[in-house]
Amino acid sequence: MEDKIIIMNVSEDRFNQLSNENVLYKEKIVYQALEELDERLYQLKVHPFTLNVVGGFALTVEQIRLSDFTDIDYVGKDFPESIKEIIDEIGIKYKLGRGWINNDVIMGGGDISDLEVSTGTLIFNHAFDLRVITVNTLDREDILKMKLIALDTSYAGSEGLSSQEIRIKDFIDIDLLMKACGFTYNDVVEEYFDYILSPEIFFLIRYYLKTKDLIHLSTFEYCQKIIANKGNGYY
């Protein structure tokens, strides 16, 4: 049974942007690898399928954070072993590594409904079509939601372990996504508060937005000091 997902049609301006031959994501190594994979699968007469993409590649396609070397994290079932072998082969060729296309976002490779238990309803936008592979990317506001949940989970997992690293790269992406969505700090708190188990992480986000300091956000010990000062410092 196929996943039940919401696919939104993009605006005319967005369609023109994604259709432009000079779109920046098409210059990235990860996209070139995906094109080669698609060609290999086409030659093998693999039935067309869709990747519902979240994470770094979605940010690249949306031109929020452009990256040559990023995984393609998708939500859905595992590929057959024969296709996984081709994926790994191409990943090694392009220095992306094995498993560069993966469904690790959900333990056991569950479907959209499994993910929506913690995230609420998710919206995917149609991004582009290759010969075999169609790519939908998670909506920007939902990527932001998932980044906040990931940061929240990371923070909760580091509690009591002063040397445990927080997912500091998420602060960068949250900042970029806020700008892309036109959100203020207060907007983010209001919109996503109900999805967060440890609301004190909003103080950490406030601190990063003010200072762009990742060093003192890297450990639970300093995060506690920042939270005690409501995101205004760590002293």
Side-chain angles (χ1 to χ4, degrees):
M1 182 179 295
E2 294 185 357
D3 294 335
K4 294 181 179 179
I5 63 173
I6 299 174
I7 304 294
M8 299 291 289
N9 292 322
V10 297
S11 67
E12 182 177 354
D13 288 344
R14 183 71 181 128
F15 177 81
N16 290 335
Q17 179 189 25
L18 291 172
S19 300
N20 190 324
E21 288 303 316
N22 295 319
V23 162
L24 294 177
Y25 71 77
K26 292 186 177 181
E27 300 173 2
K28 297 304 173 185
I29 289 171
V30 64
Y31 181 81
Q32 294 166 21
L34 185 64
E35 281 192 314
E36 180 166 330
L37 172 64
D38 184 79
E39 181 60 28
R40 292 275 297 275
L41 298 180
Y42 178 77
Q43 295 300 328
L44 292 170
K45 296 181 169 45
V46 172
H47 189 75
F49 61 87
T50 298
L51 290 178
N52 296 310
V53 174
V54 301
F57 188 62
L59 292 176
T60 295
V61 173
E62 290 292 322
Q63 304 189 71
I64 294 170
R65 169 169 60 78
L66 292 163
S67 176
D68 272 315
F69 299 97
T70 183
D71 287 352
I72 297 180
D73 303 305
Y74 73 94
V75 181
K77 303 301 183 183
D78 283 337
F79 287 111
E81 288 302 319
S82 58
I83 293 181
K84 284 184 179 180
E85 289 176 6
I86 299 172
I87 291 172
D88 287 346
E89 179 186 331
I90 292 174
I92 292 169
K93 174 182 176 180
Y94 284 89
K95 296 181 168 51
L96 295 166
R98 292 182 171 85
W100 60 285
I101 299 180
N102 66 79
N103 58 352
D104 294 343
V105 67
I106 304 178
M107 294 276 298
D111 60 20
I112 300 291
S113 61
D114 295 320
L115 184 59
E116 289 181 333
V117 170
S118 59
T119 65
T121 301
L122 296 174
I123 295 173
F124 286 81
N125 299 313
H126 175 258
F128 60 84
D129 300 297
L130 300 176
R131 283 177 150 185
V132 174
I133 303 170
T134 290
V135 171
N136 300 325
T137 56
L138 188 61
D139 187 77
R140 294 177 177 188
E141 293 185 14
D142 284 338
I143 300 176
L144 177 54
K145 183 198 300 183
M146 287 190 63
K147 286 287 180 180
L148 290 165
I149 291 171
L151 179 62
D152 182 42
T153 303
S154 170
Y155 173 79
S158 68
E159 187 171 359
L161 302 174
S162 60
S163 62
Q164 175 71 37
E165 290 189 355
I166 312 295
R167 285 174 53 110
I168 59 174
K169 66 185 181 68
D170 286 332
F171 289 104
I172 300 171
D173 289 340
I174 287 168
D175 186 15
L176 292 172
L177 283 160
M178 285 176 62
K179 291 172 181 173
C181 296
F183 282 178
T184 65
Y185 170 78
N186 288 338
D187 291 334
V188 170
V189 175
E190 181 177 352
E191 184 73 19
Y192 301 112
F193 186 89
D194 290 342
Y195 296 99
I196 301 303
L197 297 177
S198 302
E200 56 265 37
I201 67 163
F202 289 114
F203 290 141
L204 303 180
I205 293 168
R206 173 189 284 170
Y207 175 78
Y208 176 74
L209 295 175
K210 287 182 176 182
T211 67
K212 300 300 188 285
D213 172 21
L214 290 174
I215 294 175
H216 291 99
L217 288 167
S218 63
T219 64
F220 185 80
E221 179 184 4
Y222 275 108
C223 284
Q224 289 300 98
K225 295 178 180 180
I226 292 168
I227 289 167
N229 208 18
K230 297 185 178 180
N232 295 310
Y234 54 88
Y235 299 106

